[in-house]
Amino acid sequence: MQSSEHILTTFDQALHELRETTLSMAVGAQKNLKNSIDGLLQQDKQLCNQAIADDEDEDQLEILIDNLGMQIIVRFRPVATDLRMVIGAMKTSTNLERISDQAVSIAKRSRKILKNEEIPEIRRIEGLYQVAAAMLADAVTAYSDSNTELALSVIDQQKEIKKTHKKTSRFFSRKLETETAHYRDYLDLVLICRWLDRVGGLATNIAEDIIFEITSSDIRHGGELPPELIDDDTDSSTPH
Amino acid sequence: MHDMSKKITALSKTTKNREASTVIEVDDIGFSYDLGKTETLKGISMEIPKNQVTALIGPSGCGKSTLLRCLNRMNDLIDTAKITRGAIRILGQDIHAAEVDAIELRKQVGMVFQKYNPFPKSIYDNVAYGLRIQGVKKKSILDEAVERSLRNAALWDEAKDRLKDSALGLSGGQQQRLCIARTIAVRPKVILMDEPCSALDPIATAKVEELMLELRKEFTIVIVTHSMQQASRISDRTAFFYLGELVEYASTSHIFTSPSVKQTEDYISGRFG
């Protein structure tokens, strides 16, 4: 709803800075996730190390965003859309920080896997990564463009990531039972599958917060979608 | 039952209990300061519930204070003022009906003003003033009423040892609470407050706000305020006015988190103009 300029230009500047910082953090989280998986698939330990090292930037950005948000609350007492935007940025930063943490976990396991003999089926993880990365990318674009339709599409992709996670994880679990020589690597791959699925879940959280920020409807935990986002032929409750 | 479930149940009961009956019914009211040439209020309709604090907000000149003053016919004192249409009913009674006396109405609908205005009398005499006007002379009744009113106004502890001292010796915040005590001494049904804290420091403001939240248990309160924070802190319902029209009237929580009208959002978030 918010569109016109605030009477205090400093308030608009502070909101702009908060949003820009959150977007920078989102780009960082995407990069870290990509580096961690690329490190595994391209057998590049350096990329894994990069993902681990760059997580520190994400941690600092999370703290910065919390501080910027608190300063805005204290100085300007935002209400309505402005308030939801500040809270949305602070919650999004927490989700992004957790995504970066998943990237660190993936990178650490990937380094372990890289120490051993190459497993040919490792590329099977790529499909799951593509779904998780697409969900994250869509969530970030939806945040950047305040696009509720795109945010909703992230939520809709949950079924796909669950399905892909189950399929990929089951494959590596079976290998774990049969290929005893590489059981540790397959176990690590099962864990990486779980973390990628978690990235999808965190992207969904971001999408839900975007819908709250823009429409003020809280759709978490089965909350109803706002009327403007309900298709006539779909159920109004979210699938989670 | 789990602690959180208990909390949620208690909250829902509180909300249910606070769904009170209507005390003031404003029905398509129009008002003019120049005998009907221009309308300052343009067909306002709203229902003000019992035992709640209702805040009227909006930019200067929007009509919120005019409406407040219509509720106890304070505008009757202006020669060229005129109700151009509609009706105001308090507890079902049309306040402009021929049989309604404005002075009697103001006993039922008390008012606290922006600038605290105690009489140049003692603290005791200020609180007892309204009752004496009503003909109460018995000292024990007056004593009891003064103590009860000062206690209700959270001023008893500060004033009990100086009841015979001049009210003008009290601090600003104390003088405003004394004015509230004076208002509630005659047991009105409704208390109107016109920016009651605008001349007070933050501590005195907090005390008056705390007092309002306590008083709503017994009285229905309507407050005009320019402070968005004050409206969001103390009121149950908020009405936003602009250019003599009621733009949005809803629960305070709704108005300050997800207003339905863009004009309301722009005003409360400072994007107005």
Side-chain angles (χ1 to χ4, degrees):
Chain A
M1 194 187 276
Q2 173 232 87
S3 56
S4 44
E5 286 179 6
H6 197 275
I7 295 164
L8 292 171
T9 50
T10 46
F11 181 44
D12 275 342
Q13 286 163 1
L15 286 178
H16 182 73
E17 186 187 0
L18 179 70
R19 205 168 173 80
E20 288 297 306
T21 311
T22 309
L23 280 170
S24 299
M25 188 177 176
V27 171
Q30 284 179 289
K31 193 184 79 185
N32 291 352
L33 182 67
K34 186 174 188 310
N35 281 342
S36 67
I37 288 291
D38 282 353
L40 176 67
L41 298 176
Q42 296 169 20
Q43 304 212 1
D44 186 339
K45 190 180 158 191
Q46 203 50 46
L47 285 175
C48 295
N49 290 339
Q50 190 73 49
I52 295 163
D54 288 350
D55 180 55
E56 173 64 19
D57 294 345
E58 298 295 283
D59 292 347
Q60 292 308 314
L61 281 169
E62 186 194 17
I63 292 167
L64 175 63
I65 287 164
D66 276 356
N67 279 330
L68 289 172
M70 281 192 288
Q71 280 174 35
I72 290 172
I73 289 168
V74 169
R75 289 173 65 201
F76 303 106
R77 309 274 176 99
V79 293
T81 305
D82 294 331
L83 177 64
R84 296 199 303 272
M85 195 202 134
V86 173
I87 290 172
M90 292 166 83
K91 291 179 75 176
T92 298
S93 77
T94 301
N95 285 314
L96 291 170
E97 193 275 334
R98 287 180 186 165
I99 287 170
S100 192
D101 284 348
Q102 307 303 311
V104 168
S105 299
I106 293 168
K108 284 181 176 171
R109 292 288 168 167
S110 297
R111 280 195 314 201
K112 284 174 75 180
I113 293 169
L114 294 181
K115 283 180 186 167
N116 303 327
E117 192 183 326
E118 188 183 352
I119 303 170
E121 302 93 342
I122 212 164
R123 299 212 76 84
R124 282 195 177 245
I125 205 107
E126 202 169 359
L128 180 57
Y129 163 71
Q130 294 297 351
V131 180
M135 287 176 78
L136 178 56
D138 284 350
V140 173
T141 306
Y143 179 80
S144 167
D145 299 349
S146 299
N147 184 337
T148 49
E149 296 287 339
L150 192 56
L152 203 55
S153 83
V154 174
I155 295 165
D156 287 343
Q157 289 174 66
Q158 280 182 108
K159 280 179 196 159
E160 192 186 346
I161 198 162
K162 292 285 167 214
K163 196 172 121 193
T164 314
H165 171 227
K166 197 172 172 185
K167 189 176 140 197
T168 316
S169 196
R170 187 183 292 156
F171 174 80
F172 288 127
S173 296
R174 283 190 183 142
K175 284 285 178 188
L176 173 65
E177 290 163 11
T178 53
E179 305 279 336
T180 48
H182 295 288
Y183 81 95
R184 281 184 188 278
D185 292 339
Y186 288 116
L187 181 61
D188 286 339
L189 285 165
V190 168
L191 289 171
I192 289 173
C193 286
R194 188 188 293 171
W195 292 323
L196 286 171
D197 176 55
R198 186 77 193 113
V199 168
L202 292 162
T204 303
N205 291 352
I206 293 172
E208 288 170 343
D209 289 340
I210 292 164
I211 288 171
F212 176 70
E213 180 185 320
I214 297 165
T215 68
S216 84
S217 294
D218 193 343
I219 64 163
R220 295 173 302 170
H221 311 302
E224 285 197 1
L225 285 170
E228 63 267 32
L229 288 180
I230 298 174
D231 280 343
D232 291 339
D233 53 347
T234 55
D235 186 3
S236 65
S237 62
T238 48
H240 49 287
Chain B
M1 198 191 292
H2 190 272
D3 274 358
M4 188 51 75
S5 305
K6 279 183 190 169
K7 273 185 191 169
I8 291 168
T9 310
L11 187 65
S12 116
K13 275 182 186 167
T14 312
T15 309
K16 211 169 265 180
N17 289 341
R18 297 202 57 75
E19 282 170 11
S21 56
T22 299
V23 169
I24 303 171
E25 193 185 344
V26 180
D27 183 7
D28 191 32
I29 202 80
F31 177 85
S32 169
Y33 280 113
D34 52 12
L35 294 172
K37 284 181 204 155
T38 51
E39 271 195 326
T40 305
L41 296 177
K42 300 167 184 169
I44 306 293
S45 293
M46 62 192 293
E47 292 183 351
I48 295 174
K50 187 180 179 184
N51 296 122
Q52 291 198 6
V53 178
T54 299
L56 312 182
I57 63 168
S60 297
C62 70
K64 56 190 186 302
S65 288
T66 300
L67 177 65
L68 192 79
R69 287 162 176 271
C70 283
L71 299 179
N72 68 348
R73 289 179 51 185
M74 285 288 281
N75 291 322
D76 286 8
L77 305 171
I78 303 166
D79 290 342
T80 53
K82 183 185 173 188
I83 295 286
T84 52
R85 55 178 148 145
I88 296 172
R89 286 178 284 275
I90 294 183
L91 295 168
Q93 170 68 55
D94 182 347
I95 65 168
H96 293 101
E99 69 271 20
V100 174
D101 176 59
I103 306 291
E104 285 302 315
L105 172 70
R106 288 175 204 139
K107 283 182 196 165
Q108 295 296 310
V109 187
M111 193 158 192
V112 176
F113 297 89
Q114 181 177 0
K115 182 79 183 94
Y116 34 87
N117 54 353
F119 305 130
K121 293 169 175 285
S122 70
I123 294 169
Y124 184 98
D125 288 344
N126 262 277
V127 182
Y129 186 84
L131 291 166
R132 283 180 173 146
I133 292 282
Q134 288 179 17
V136 178
K137 288 178 182 159
K138 199 171 175 188
K139 190 170 180 302
S140 61
I141 294 175
L142 290 173
D143 285 352
E144 191 273 328
V146 168
E147 179 173 343
R148 188 190 61 229
S149 303
L150 286 171
R151 280 190 189 280
N152 282 352
L155 194 59
W156 176 250
D157 289 342
E158 293 156 75
K160 64 183 176 190
D161 298 325
R162 48 197 287 208
L163 292 175
K164 297 295 171 194
D165 292 359
S166 169
L168 303 178
L170 295 170
S171 71
Q174 288 172 328
Q175 287 191 33
Q176 188 63 302
R177 279 182 283 146
L178 178 66
C179 291
I180 293 171
R182 187 177 64 190
T183 303
I184 61 181
V186 294
R187 313 303 294 164
K189 296 282 186 281
V190 178
I191 305 173
L192 309 177
M193 297 185 166
D194 193 355
E195 296 184 57
C197 302
S198 62
L200 304 181
D201 67 35
I203 303 291
T205 296
K207 284 184 180 173
V208 171
E209 287 182 0
E210 181 75 13
L211 177 58
M212 278 188 246
L213 294 174
E214 199 56 37
L215 288 176
R216 74 176 170 181
K217 292 173 188 165
E218 283 187 65
F219 307 96
T220 298
I221 299 174
V222 186
I223 176 174
V224 162
T225 179
H226 272 128
S227 164
M228 298 297 114
Q229 281 78 43
Q230 182 168 67
S232 62
R233 275 194 302 265
I234 59 157
S235 69
D236 300 289
R237 293 181 68 77
T238 297
F240 169 60
F241 291 83
Y242 183 58
L243 295 176
E245 291 178 4
L246 177 59
V247 176
E248 190 167 357
Y249 178 42
S251 77
T252 298
S253 162
H254 179 81
I255 292 281
F256 285 95
T257 57
S258 51
S260 305
V261 184
K262 186 175 184 305
Q263 227 170 6
T264 313
E265 164 118 21
D266 283 351
Y267 179 72
I268 60 165
S269 57
R271 297 181 187 280
F272 204 72

